[in-house]
Amino acid sequence: MQLSDSFFKSRKLVDLVENQTSYELEDSAMHIFETHQRAERVQLQFGTPVLASMFQGKKVMHLRDKPSFEFLPGESLILPADELMCIDFPEAREDDPTRCLAMEIGEDRLKGVVQFMNDRMTRSDGQEWNILDYNFHFTNDLGIYQILQRLVYLYTENHPSKDFFVSNMVQELVVRILQANVRKTYQQNAKKLSGSKRLAFVVRYIRENIQHPLSIKELSDKACMSESNFYKIFKQEMGISTTDFINEERINAAAQFLKDPSTDLTEIYLACGFTNRSYFNRMFKRLKGISPSDYRRRFN
């Protein structure tokens, strides 16, 4: 993710650890933190719910009731109000700083978006949308990545309609994050939930048949829905299309196979449902950011 030229022109570098540049609007704020030297156990806390998203470098996060974990570029984290973060910066250098975005979104704003979703976006399981599980750590999908990139530009732009532009983007961001939370819940608990939730059953079916061609007709039959309704409900709840989700599952399966250096690349892409090596390579790089060969070298 790129920071805008206007950010670098206006920001003042005062601190080497967690130097903060802030932009505040009516019901949200964006902070960009930069760290230029190694540091450990740096504490940070916000009074409102926060979306943190990594731009560059690596952090090690220590949060309450959660094992320590690495926080890497392309990943985001949702934190509740008043959550005390304790952060290590193991790789930060003056010529290669760690950079992270933190967006504060007011509770009333969050509740308003959730109410909008419950009014307009009925879920297949009959449950209501709720403010998501906090300490939700996830990889940005393409939609979330593009919104964050746009928000960085909007916050740092000097435009008279900035509040209006940002407000619309924040609403879309919250919707997409709630959808990503549902998607991750189904992915992590597909087996347990498949007996009571139709989309969880479909997720489990996709995983168990990942090596075979999978059609919307086949999956909609498994969900006991028409094709058009299944396509609409799936994207509405999961935040991505059925085809994109299948490709994501196939690439995740391939990534696990690649950790075994003895497995042939041709065997891997065929076992994950791809029939074309070049398409597999393109899809892997699009979703993981590097080629399958480079990914394998990273683990070996």
Side-chain angles (χ1 to χ4, degrees):
M1 194 176 297
Q2 299 295 316
L3 290 168
S4 64
D5 291 339
S6 57
F7 164 75
F8 287 106
K9 288 177 182 177
S10 63
R11 77 93 144 86
K12 295 180 180 179
L13 191 57
V14 178
D15 302 307
L16 291 178
V17 177
E18 291 291 68
N19 187 76
Q20 180 177 343
T21 305
S22 297
Y23 306 86
E24 297 186 3
L25 296 177
E26 184 177 350
D27 58 2
S28 65
M30 185 182 75
H31 313 281
I32 296 174
F33 293 92
E34 301 175 273
T35 296
H36 289 75
Q37 66 181 28
R38 292 182 182 180
E40 293 183 352
R41 301 289 172 173
V42 178
Q43 294 188 342
L44 188 63
Q45 190 175 39
F46 294 93
T48 58
V50 169
L51 162 72
S53 190
M54 284 293 290
F55 283 1
Q56 179 179 331
K58 180 173 78 173
K59 294 182 179 182
V60 178
M61 305 294 293
H62 309 277
L63 303 177
R64 177 187 55 188
D65 303 326
K66 188 177 179 71
S68 299
F69 62 94
E70 291 185 350
F71 194 21
L72 302 171
E75 297 178 351
S76 291
L77 176 66
I78 307 297
L79 295 160
D82 302 317
E83 174 78 21
L84 181 63
M85 294 175 269
C86 194
I87 310 168
D88 299 337
F89 300 85
E91 299 177 356
R93 302 196 311 266
E94 188 173 352
D95 62 341
D96 189 15
T98 297
R99 292 192 171 106
C100 181
L101 170 150
M103 278 200 62
E104 293 187 84
I105 305 174
E107 291 273 10
D108 289 342
R109 177 64 165 153
L110 287 173
K111 291 176 181 177
V113 177
V114 171
Q115 185 61 53
F116 167 84
M117 294 177 73
N118 283 319
D119 290 343
R120 306 284 186 88
M121 301 167 63
T122 305
R123 290 180 55 170
S124 62
D125 58 9
Q127 293 187 351
E128 291 193 336
W129 297 95
N130 292 300
I131 293 178
L132 47 75
D133 296 330
Y134 286 117
N135 292 341
F136 170 42
H137 178 212
F138 62 98
T139 300
N140 300 330
D141 60 30
L142 181 61
I144 290 174
Y145 170 85
Q146 290 176 335
I147 292 171
L148 291 173
Q149 187 69 76
R150 178 66 176 162
L151 282 169
V152 169
Y153 175 80
L154 290 174
Y155 269 104
T156 56
E157 183 189 27
N158 185 20
H159 194 288
S161 301
K162 180 193 292 190
D163 283 85
F164 175 74
F165 295 155
V166 168
S167 181
N168 288 336
M169 294 301 294
V170 167
Q171 175 164 308
E172 183 179 351
L173 177 64
V174 174
V175 170
R176 287 186 180 271
I177 290 172
L178 286 170
Q179 291 170 329
N181 186 235
V182 169
R183 186 164 76 245
K184 190 168 184 177
T185 298
Y186 285 158
Q187 288 173 317
Q188 292 180 336
N189 303 284
K191 189 172 183 179
K192 183 172 73 172
L193 298 175
S194 61
S196 59
K197 298 183 184 294
R198 284 186 283 183
L199 292 189
F201 178 81
V202 170
V203 169
R204 181 180 179 182
Y205 182 82
I206 289 171
R207 286 182 171 170
E208 292 176 349
N209 295 273
I210 201 73
Q211 72 276 25
H212 302 303
L214 294 164
S215 67
I216 298 294
K217 173 69 167 63
E218 180 181 2
L219 298 178
S220 62
D221 287 345
K222 295 295 179 183
C224 300
M225 298 181 186
S226 67
E227 290 183 54
S228 59
N229 192 42
F230 171 75
Y231 184 87
K232 173 186 174 184
I233 292 295
F234 191 97
K235 191 166 186 177
Q236 183 171 280
E237 289 192 38
M238 308 284 267
I240 59 176
S241 70
T242 314
T243 300
D244 287 341
F245 180 82
I246 292 169
N247 281 330
E248 187 177 281
E249 286 292 305
R250 285 179 167 152
I251 294 303
N252 287 338
Q256 293 302 312
F257 284 128
L258 285 166
K259 293 178 183 180
D260 179 358
S262 66
T263 311
D264 181 73
L265 278 174
T266 301
E267 293 177 7
I268 290 174
Y269 79 74
L270 290 174
C272 295
F274 292 98
T275 57
N276 182 289
R277 172 71 178 272
S278 62
Y279 180 68
F280 166 67
N281 288 342
R282 289 199 308 273
M283 191 58 59
F284 195 98
K285 190 166 186 177
R286 174 185 163 192
L287 293 176
K288 295 296 184 183
I290 58 176
S291 70
S293 298
D294 288 339
Y295 188 90
R296 166 167 274 178
R297 279 192 287 271
R298 174 181 291 179
F299 287 94
N300 298 278

